[in-house]
Amino acid sequence: MKKILILGGIREAAELARQLVDEGDDVTTSLAGRTKNPDKVPGKVRIGGFGGVEGLARHLEENAIDLLIDCTHPFARNISANARQAASLAGTQLRVVERPPWQEQPGDCWHKVSSLEQACKAIPAGACVLLALGSQHIASFQTRRDVHFIVRMVDAPSTPLPLPDHELVLGKPAIDPEQERALLTNKKITHIVCRNSGGKGAYAKISAARDLGLPVIMIER
Ligand SMILES: NC(=O)c1ccc[n+]([C@@H]2O[C@H](COP(=O)([O-])OP(=O)(O)OC[C@H]3O[C@@H](n4cnc5c(N)ncnc54)[C@H](OP(=O)(O)O)[C@@H]3O)[C@@H](O)[C@H]2O)c1
């Protein structure tokens, strides 16, 4: 039986935990603690940062972890860098689970950009935008007084969002493209701004946008 620590926080990490628990391994999933009510994950769960590279390396040694698996979100870069260094310091085996980016399909109308700043500039005046980004990225759009933003977040923000014209939609993205289509239509959304996260959990909005012929301002990796 291997002692495994999964750095998680995404749907695929929970699926991996299920598989490894079923195979008989001793699995702990680590979550950053960003969401108030995270989905249940098979095996054990620990929550909160480790305190940088040294903290993670110490955790690996003190808990005699045989295998560290980095299955974090592709845009969560700090924890992945920490995982590489900490595994090396502690002499722990590291496995990195890559989540391939989504590929543009026939019918998609993607405007690809490489930063939040470029995404902000790419929005036409008067647009109604579904902003499907983490709360820490919203401030990049505060200069756009000429745009109505629909901001989707898992938990309500603790302080008011710095956007002049916006409304909040609370909850996780739907898995069913029909539900995402209903949101896009009911809110009269003209554009989506999101990052190319890959994976299944957030893809329904992309296929719904394709069905409706809506442009997606896609922040690439
Ligand atoms: N970025 C996204 O868009 C996104 C989307 C969905 C889910 N997530 C999940 O949310 C977490 C945080 O994302 P982020 O972009 O803020 O990450 P980040 O910038 O790479 O990490 C910032 C700090 O948060 C702590 N941390 C991050 N992931 C952790 C984990 N799984 N377990 C324990 N501590 C963790 C670490 O603190 P210490 O240095 O103190 O250890 C890390 O240095 C990630 O685990 C990711 O898988 C992120």
Side-chain angles (χ1 to χ4, degrees):
M1 183 170 77
K2 265 195 196 151
K3 263 194 115 175
I4 299 177
L5 178 66
I6 300 177
L7 301 171
I10 58 173
R11 193 180 299 264
E12 287 81 355
E15 288 169 4
L16 180 61
R18 158 62 56 220
Q19 186 192 323
L20 294 170
V21 165
D22 288 349
E23 286 171 11
D25 288 315
D26 177 354
V27 180
T28 301
T29 296
S30 175
L31 304 175
R34 301 279 190 271
T35 50
K36 281 187 196 141
N37 297 303
D39 288 340
K40 210 167 159 15
V41 181
K44 296 174 231 165
V45 173
R46 69 160 298 286
I47 297 182
F50 296 92
V53 173
E54 289 74 20
L56 178 52
R58 204 176 318 117
H59 182 97
L60 295 173
E61 283 168 351
E62 286 176 359
N63 292 279
I65 301 296
D66 301 304
L67 174 64
L68 174 65
I69 303 181
D70 176 8
C71 190
T72 54
H73 191 275
F75 281 86
R77 300 213 174 93
N78 296 317
I79 188 69
S80 293
N82 289 359
R84 275 195 302 278
Q85 291 181 55
S88 158
L89 273 178
T92 306
Q93 190 189 344
L94 172 69
R95 189 160 116 209
V96 180
V97 180
E98 302 277 359
R99 198 158 82 166
W102 299 314
Q103 299 297 328
E104 200 168 0
Q105 305 293 319
D108 279 335
C109 175
W110 289 8
H111 178 152
K112 296 180 192 170
V113 295
S114 58
S115 65
L116 291 162
E117 292 68 31
Q118 282 186 17
C120 179
K121 283 187 191 148
I123 304 170
C128 177
V129 171
L130 173 65
L131 207 50
L133 298 171
S135 54
Q136 66 270 41
H137 307 302
I138 302 296
S140 300
F141 298 84
Q142 63 190 341
T143 54
R144 296 303 305 265
R145 303 192 157 272
D146 54 346
V147 172
H148 180 66
F149 290 102
I150 313 283
V151 184
R152 176 158 60 197
M153 294 181 145
V154 178
D155 296 313
S158 48
T159 52
L161 296 180
L163 294 174
D165 179 6
H166 74 275
E167 63 187 283
L168 272 174
V169 173
L170 293 181
K172 291 195 171 149
I175 291 286
D176 177 9
E178 269 309 311
Q179 280 183 42
E180 292 293 75
R181 212 175 135 134
L183 173 75
L184 297 173
T185 310
N186 294 342
K187 298 282 183 190
K188 300 187 170 43
I189 288 164
T190 60
H191 294 73
I192 296 176
V193 172
C194 65
R195 293 177 301 172
N196 194 338
S197 304
K200 296 171 276 186
Y203 189 69
K205 64 177 177 290
I206 305 296
S207 41
R210 182 186 310 133
D211 292 348
L212 295 168
L214 287 188
V216 176
I217 299 171
M218 183 68 82
I219 305 169
E220 294 290 350
R221 293 182 192 178

